[in-house]
Amino acid sequence: PLSEIAHDFSPMMIIYKDGTIERLVGNDIVPPSFDPKTNVDSRDVLYLPENTLSARLYIPKNTKDQNQKLLLVVYFHGGGFCVHTACSSTYNNYLNNLVSEANIIAVSVDYRRAPKNPVPCAHDDSWTAIKWVASHVDGDGPEDWLNHYADFQRVFFAGDSSGANIAHHMGVRHCQEILDDWDCFNSSILLGQGSYS
């Protein structure tokens, strides 16, 4: 049985006095797969193995039959820094549709969540993910989809809610800490959705 409630943040989560966190939304995790409705393929890759943090990559299936470079969107999920993951059905469905409709490649970043890992952990993890993405600029990174299909002259950061906050901060941080591997990123456009609070 769970211990006494310390903080009730319903309908998002409940924190118990023993430190247990019960997340009430965003728990519907779906595996990566080919989605026949959108013709988009996805797979998970570790970008920070020591913390078992992964990103979910999405690519239109027809792209793999061609030698075509696609605009790259690095996406940060919302959820108040506390709920949802990159593997939640909400975000998996959204990215499948976005990738299909816009004919892009996307990297959906997972990050450690509060309250166990308070802000700025999510921002630090996301920056590590961006550096991992940037390691593919010369076509010799660990992930073939990014090496072969991502156009690093056209890179967007996007997110909703807390993810928009992260997208904004990643743009600011990039201006402060220029990535050696990603000189071409200077000409890219940054985009966020939702609130930047």
Side-chain angles (χ1 to χ4, degrees):
L2 295 172
S3 70
E4 188 179 346
I5 292 174
H7 303 283
D8 188 339
F9 297 112
S10 297
M12 300 277 280
M13 67 181 174
I14 299 172
I15 302 173
Y16 296 90
K17 288 191 174 176
D18 67 358
T20 303
I21 301 164
E22 183 182 5
R23 291 183 170 88
L24 306 175
V25 297
N27 299 317
D28 51 337
I29 304 302
V30 295
S33 65
F34 172 67
D35 179 32
K37 293 178 188 172
T38 58
N39 207 31
V40 169
D41 206 356
S42 61
R43 65 181 177 208
D44 292 341
V45 294
L46 288 174
Y47 71 84
L48 190 59
E50 55 267 35
N51 287 332
T52 61
L53 287 174
S54 64
R56 181 161 291 181
L57 277 63
Y58 296 84
I59 191 168
K61 192 171 192 307
N62 61 343
T63 299
K64 294 191 288 185
D65 304 326
Q66 305 168 26
N67 222 356
Q68 179 184 6
K69 295 284 188 180
L70 299 177
L71 182 147
L72 171 63
V73 169
V74 182
Y75 192 85
F76 307 96
H77 70 83
F81 299 104
C82 298
V83 296
H84 285 290
T85 72
C87 304
S88 299
S89 63
T90 298
Y91 292 101
N92 189 70
N93 294 338
Y94 174 71
L95 268 298
N96 275 329
N97 284 302
L98 177 66
V99 166
S100 175
E101 292 293 323
N103 195 39
I104 60 171
I105 187 168
V107 176
S108 182
V109 177
D110 219 1
Y111 49 81
R112 289 173 293 169
R113 298 173 294 174
K116 184 178 179 184
N117 299 286
V119 171
C121 280
H123 296 82
D124 293 339
D125 293 343
S126 297
W127 182 245
T128 300
I130 287 171
K131 291 193 289 185
W132 177 84
V133 170
S135 74
H136 296 81
V137 167
D138 293 327
D140 58 359
E143 176 48 52
D144 286 343
W145 284 2
L146 292 177
N147 288 331
H148 294 114
Y149 305 113
D151 181 351
F152 287 96
Q153 295 291 335
R154 298 183 298 154
V155 180
F156 289 74
F157 294 169
D160 70 292
S161 189
S162 55
N165 177 285
I166 293 172
H168 169 77
H169 283 278
M170 294 305 96
V172 170
R173 187 164 180 177
H174 178 267
C175 292
Q176 295 169 341
E177 304 176 37
I178 299 298
L179 293 173
D180 292 335
D181 291 339
W182 207 340
D183 291 335
C184 62
F185 181 69
N186 293 327
S187 62
S188 300
I189 299 171
L190 305 180
L191 169 70
Q193 299 172 320
S195 67
Y196 288 91
S197 58

